Amino acid sequence: MTRIPTAIPGLDELIEGGFIENDVILLTGGPGAGKSTFGVQFLYEGIVKYNEPGLYITLEESPARIIRNMWRHNWDLERIIKENKLRIMRANPIAYERYIKDMKPAEGFVDAESATIENILKQIYKQIQEIGAKRLFIDSITSLKISSDPATERHMILEFIKNIENFDCTTLITSEIHSVPESFSVEEYLSEGVIRLHVFRVGGNRVRGIEILKMRGVKHDEVMHPYAITDEGIVVYPSETVIGKDTDILKPGFF
Ligand SMILES: Nc1ncnc2c1ncn2[C@@H]1O[C@H](COP(=O)(O)OP(=O)(O)O)[C@@H](O)[C@H]1O
Ligand SMILES: [Mg+2]
């Protein structure tokens, strides 16, 4: 099986060298956990180090904001967009009709034509074909859950992930952590792998921990390790653990 390096220092050694090629991996965590940074790093380094074109589907932040924020890590996304190695496609099912129709897409950015799941999937596939994308980042699946009926919502997410699985791309999908951390969401059941980013507050300090909840077909680490968001992006410390003397404070689900 071909392994796709995550490009997150310290992470690959917890999962036998990287993601399994063409798997769909879910990245969960609360706001500010570093999900978007993780995904951009996966795409950017994939392009720069491994020459694998990447596609970023954003359902939240605008492409301009993403580009601006990622300058903090010295990732020049504009350059690789111009080289046709990266595309950032905005697809916002909720805001589309109200806000997007008057906006002209800037050069290199593509807006989804219509806000249905089916149309978003078609657009994603078209972009993958056009740049030969090998890595796909969808940020976030939570924004696709626009139905108030749980059964419809489950069906939509199921359809979405099943389709993505056939796109021949190694895919990372973010999901905002839900209110009951011990329970699993439908996307967590459906994905081949689930990585969870925890942010704890201990005294005045913020402690970040990364946990591989599952990775089908992979003998993966089960310990929570610290990670940091640095000027170079996300860094995982595989030989250190988060749960130590302060176990009482660091209860699972304490965000
Ligand atoms: N160079 C840096 N050093 C430390 N923290 C940083 C750095 N750059 C960004 N951050 C932090 O990263 C977080 C943003 O991460 P982001 O990937 O947007 O999270 P998410 O997508 O999970 O909401 C913010 O809390 C921000 O303060
Ligand atoms: Mg984000």
Side-chain angles (χ1 to χ4, degrees), residues 199-208 242 246 249-250 254:
V199 183
F200 308 99
R201 188 154 288 281
V202 184
N205 299 318
R206 186 179 287 171
V207 177
R208 299 180 184 274
V242 168
D246 300 323
I249 305 162
L250 302 180
F254 183 93

Side-chain angles (χ1 to χ4, degrees), residues 44-203:
Y44 182 85
E45 301 288 346
I47 291 162
V48 172
K49 275 198 194 140
Y50 307 105
N51 199 27
E52 295 178 339
L55 174 62
Y56 186 152
I57 310 297
T58 172
L59 289 113
E60 289 169 5
E61 291 173 291
S62 72
R65 190 176 283 269
I66 291 163
I67 290 169
R68 194 200 65 194
N69 287 347
M70 294 306 159
W71 266 116
R72 208 181 332 196
H73 307 290
N74 284 315
W75 296 330
D76 184 354
L77 302 186
E78 255 166 326
R79 180 176 55 82
I80 53 176
I81 288 170
K82 286 202 185 94
E83 291 170 358
N84 224 18
K85 297 277 176 62
L86 176 74
R87 287 242 176 122
I88 305 179
M89 182 179 110
R90 183 164 202 185
N92 192 334
I94 301 164
Y96 184 81
E97 295 201 322
R98 268 177 298 159
Y99 304 113
I100 310 292
K101 67 172 188 284
D102 299 325
M103 280 168 55
K104 289 196 184 75
E107 200 184 332
F109 314 137
V110 187
D111 276 70
E113 259 165 23
S114 169
T116 64
I117 296 274
E118 198 191 337
N119 270 309
I120 290 173
L121 285 165
K122 275 190 199 151
Q123 285 288 323
I124 294 174
Y125 189 64
K126 187 168 160 265
Q127 302 298 325
I128 290 171
Q129 299 282 307
E130 281 180 14
I131 61 163
K134 297 303 295 168
R135 294 176 182 229
L136 173 61
F137 177 48
I138 299 168
D139 193 17
S140 72
I141 202 165
T142 313
S143 306
L144 282 177
K145 295 178 173 180
I146 50 170
S147 174
S148 53
D149 171 37
T152 307
E153 188 181 288
R154 282 181 76 89
H155 179 73
M156 268 168 51
I157 299 296
L158 178 79
E159 281 292 295
F160 188 73
I161 293 179
K162 287 286 157 211
N163 277 280
I164 296 286
E165 276 173 356
N166 295 322
F167 284 175
D168 286 349
C169 268
T170 308
T171 303
L172 197 61
I173 305 180
T174 63
S175 172
E176 286 290 323
I177 207 84
H178 34 93
S179 53
V180 192
E182 285 79 18
S183 72
F184 281 84
S185 56
V186 56
E187 60 268 28
E188 285 178 308
Y189 283 112
L190 293 171
S191 310
E192 294 300 315
V194 179
I195 297 174
R196 196 172 275 187
L197 300 177
H198 301 262
V199 183
F200 308 99
R201 188 154 288 281
V202 184

Side-chain angles (χ1 to χ4, degrees), residues 11-29:
L11 180 57
D12 289 347
E13 59 193 87
L14 302 179
I15 52 173
E16 295 184 316
F19 299 139
I20 295 175
E21 191 177 28
N22 297 341
D23 266 3
V24 174
I25 309 295
L26 197 74
L27 180 65
T28 72

